[in-house]
Amino acid sequence: MDVNDFDFELPESLIAQTPLADRTASRLMVLDKVTGDVKHRQFRQIVDELQRGDVLVLNDTRVLPARLIGTKEDTGASIEVLLLKETGPDEWETLVKPAKRVKVGTVVTFGDGSLEAECTEILEQGGRIFKFRYEGIFYEILESLGQMPLPPYITETLDDQSRYQTVFARERGSAAAPTAGLHFTEEILQEIKDKGVGVEFITLHVGLGTFRPVSVDVIEEHTMHSEYYQVTEQAATAINEAKARGGNVIAVGTTSARTLETIASLNDGKIVPASGWTSIFIYPGYRFSILDGMLTNFHLPKSTLIMLISAMASREHVLAAYKEAVQEKYRFFSFGDAMFIKPNAK
C-alpha cells in the first residue's frame, strides 16, 4: 500500500496553533464508518452520540515538561535537552541541540544551578545519555524548569501549560499529550457517566516517534516506534463486561486504540491486566479485536495516525471526510477539532 494514498491538501491556516478557551467548544465531525455519511456537531454533543452500556476508554498519561534549556558549563553556550526515556536512576535518554557541542563528559546546568547533567554516552541522531545531579525531588525540579515539548507544527508559545494536559492526566511519562482527550472536562465526563456509559482509564506514554514522518514509500515496510503501556485489572474487567453485554468499546485517541488492540489481539479479543511495550502498526486491512468506535483529532497527511483511523472507517470514507473538514474549515492537529467514528448500530 502506497504512503501517498493517505495524502490530502491541508491549508496551513487550518493548523490550530492555540487551544480554545473552552475545552468543549471544539467542533465534532461524526463519521458513519459504514456509509461514510458525516454530521457536523459541537464537541459537547458527544454525550448524545454515546449509548447506555458503552464504555469510553481514555489515556491518563501525563506529559512531562521535558524540554530543558541549559548552559554548557565550560563555554556558557546554550544547550537544549529533551528528555525521552528514563534508562536508570537519574539517567535519561535525551535529544540534544546542538548535538555537536555535547560530548562525553560535557556538563550542562539548568536554571539557577539546582539541576545539572553530565553526558555519559553518545547515541545516533543527536541522542545522548545524561546523568542528572540535584537536591530534592527530580520531578518537582522538572516542573519548575521544564517546558512542554509541543509538536513541531505548533509555532506559537503556549501561555498555560496545563492546556497541553488532559484534565485526567495522572501517570507521568509522556513526551506528547494524547490530544483527543484534551476536549474533555470533568463536567462532561460526569454527564457521560450519568447517561450509563462507562469511563475507564488506561496508560500509554506517548513517544516522540509519534511525530516522525513515514519515510518509506510502501507502508508495510514502516517500523513503528515502541511505547510503554499499562492496563489495570479494574479497567480490563469493565471493558470486557461492557463488550459481553453488547456495549460498544470506544477508544479516545489512537494511543488508547493501539493499547487495547495490542492486548486484545494477544488474548482472543479480551482485555487482561498487562504492562509492556507496543509497536503495533494498524492500517487498512487490519481486523479489530476489541474496538467498535473511536474519538480522535484530525491528523497529518501520510501519517500512521490517519492510516489507523482508515483501518476503522476505510481510506475512502476518511479522506472524503477530511476533504469536507477542510472545506468547512475545521481546525486540525493537537489543538484542533474532533472526529467521532461511530460504531455500527446494534
Side-chain angles (χ1 to χ4, degrees):
M1 197 173 296
D2 197 308
V3 171
N4 291 314
D5 291 341
F6 298 88
D7 198 8
F8 63 92
E9 292 293 329
L10 178 67
E12 190 173 333
S13 61
L14 296 185
I15 300 174
Q17 291 293 321
T18 54
L20 298 177
D22 177 0
R23 288 179 184 264
T24 66
S26 295
R27 298 167 74 186
L28 176 69
M29 176 182 280
V30 180
L31 174 63
D32 186 314
K33 65 180 180 179
V34 177
T35 66
D37 292 341
V38 301
K39 293 187 296 185
H40 303 287
R41 312 199 75 178
Q42 294 296 311
F43 183 78
R44 60 181 62 92
Q45 294 174 295
I46 186 65
V47 181
D48 302 329
E49 298 295 334
L50 301 171
Q51 303 298 316
R52 182 178 184 85
D54 291 350
V55 62
L56 202 63
V57 185
L58 305 102
N59 184 1
D60 66 0
T61 187
R62 185 171 184 83
V63 186
L64 292 174
R67 183 171 175 261
L68 292 163
I69 307 298
T71 302
K72 193 176 174 187
E73 190 176 61
D74 54 354
T75 66
S78 180
I79 302 292
E80 177 180 322
V81 177
L82 185 63
L83 305 182
L84 297 182
K85 183 171 62 176
E86 191 171 13
T87 55
D90 297 325
E91 183 180 82
W92 286 78
E93 178 184 341
T94 71
L95 282 178
V96 175
K97 293 181 185 178
K100 63 183 179 181
R101 292 186 176 177
V102 178
K103 305 183 182 343
V104 171
T106 295
V107 175
V108 181
T109 61
F110 305 94
D112 57 1
S114 59
L115 181 67
E116 67 176 35
E118 181 177 352
C119 177
T120 60
E121 185 179 346
I122 295 176
L123 308 176
E124 296 179 353
Q125 299 180 328
R128 298 290 187 273
I129 299 293
F130 272 106
K131 184 76 172 180
F132 285 86
R133 296 189 287 266
Y134 55 90
E135 290 186 6
I137 299 173
F138 178 76
Y139 287 110
E140 289 183 358
I141 297 170
L142 189 62
E143 290 286 346
S144 66
L145 296 178
Q147 303 172 20
M148 286 296 179
L150 295 176
Y153 47 76
I154 293 177
T155 57
E156 294 189 20
T157 302
L158 182 63
D159 294 330
D160 180 2
Q161 294 202 74
S162 70
R163 291 309 307 276
Y164 197 58
Q165 300 277 21
T166 63
V167 297
F168 45 81
R170 286 193 292 264
E171 303 295 333
R172 292 192 186 105
S174 262
T179 54
L182 294 177
H183 303 281
F184 289 90
T185 61
E186 294 290 356
E187 291 75 18
I188 203 166
L189 286 171
Q190 189 59 53
E191 286 183 47
I192 289 169
K193 293 176 185 177
D194 291 343
K195 188 173 182 176
V197 177
V199 174
E200 296 298 329
F201 298 96
I202 62 174
T203 304
L204 182 132
H205 294 319
V206 188
L208 284 180
T210 193
F211 300 125
R212 290 178 182 150
V214 177
S215 58
V216 296
D217 295 327
V218 180
I219 68 173
E220 289 86 350
E221 297 175 358
H222 176 69
T223 300
M224 287 288 287
H225 55 285
S226 186
E227 296 169 318
Y228 180 80
Y229 68 85
Q230 185 169 358
V231 175
T232 65
E233 184 173 355
Q234 173 187 317
T237 299
I239 294 165
N240 290 330
E241 287 179 350
K243 192 76 171 180
R245 63 176 177 260
N248 295 301
V249 177
I250 299 165
V252 175
T254 57
T255 59
S256 296
R258 293 178 66 240
T259 302
L260 293 174
E261 286 299 313
T262 294
I263 296 173
S265 64
L266 298 172
N267 295 280
D268 297 322
K270 301 289 186 183
I271 301 299
V272 299
S275 62
W277 295 82
T278 179
S279 56
I280 190 172
F281 183 17
I282 298 174
Y283 54 87
Y286 179 86
R287 298 189 65 179
F288 286 88
S289 299
I290 188 75
L291 286 184
D292 301 293
M294 189 188 314
L295 179 74
T296 184
N297 280 20
F298 288 89
H299 303 296
L300 280 74
K302 299 193 286 189
S303 65
T304 59
L305 307 180
I306 195 171
M307 294 171 192
L308 188 157
I309 65 171
S310 295
M312 175 162 282
S314 91
R315 183 182 70 89
E316 293 74 18
H317 289 341
V318 166
L319 290 181
Y322 269 51
K323 183 177 180 180
E324 188 164 340
V326 169
Q327 291 170 346
E328 296 293 327
K329 292 184 168 47
Y330 274 67
R331 302 166 77 246
F332 275 68
F333 306 162
S334 295
F335 291 138
D337 296 317
M339 171 186 279
F340 181 47
I341 302 176
K342 195 166 186 174
N344 296 342
K346 291 187 178 179

